[in-house]
Amino acid sequence: MKSEELVKATGEHRYYADVAASVQLVLEESVLALSWKLKRETGEENLCLAGGVALNSTMNGRIIREGGFARVHIPPDPGDGGGALGAAIYLQS
């Protein structure tokens, strides 16, 4: 379903669109709060995100704009596959 269709959705589809939007907002606010806390406690200028949630581009945009870090790095495969790839590269070097 295209985003324009979600905006026009009614009934059951509207319900699912509302649930998805609510979960997205809670995720963004939670991760932003964690990033602010991390920034405050460490004073670091760089942040590297990993894990499947790091694939959420909307959340990442907010972290980049509002998280307080000079640089944010998200590896090309931040999920479980990236961990295996990183371990293989580490052992190879």
Side-chain angles (χ1 to χ4, degrees), residues 3 5 32 40 63 65:
S3 59
E5 293 170 334
L32 271 173
R40 242 186 351 268
I63 291 170
R65 288 188 308 275

Side-chain angles (χ1 to χ4, degrees), residues 23-32 34 48-63 72-75 77-81:
V23 170
Q24 178 68 33
L25 181 61
V26 169
L27 172 67
E28 291 173 23
E29 295 295 327
S30 299
V31 173
L32 271 173
L34 286 171
C48 181
L49 299 173
V53 174
L55 292 171
N56 189 307
S57 58
T58 305
M59 176 195 75
N60 294 341
R62 286 198 62 195
I63 291 170
V72 178
H73 176 71
I74 301 143
D77 188 359
D80 294 341

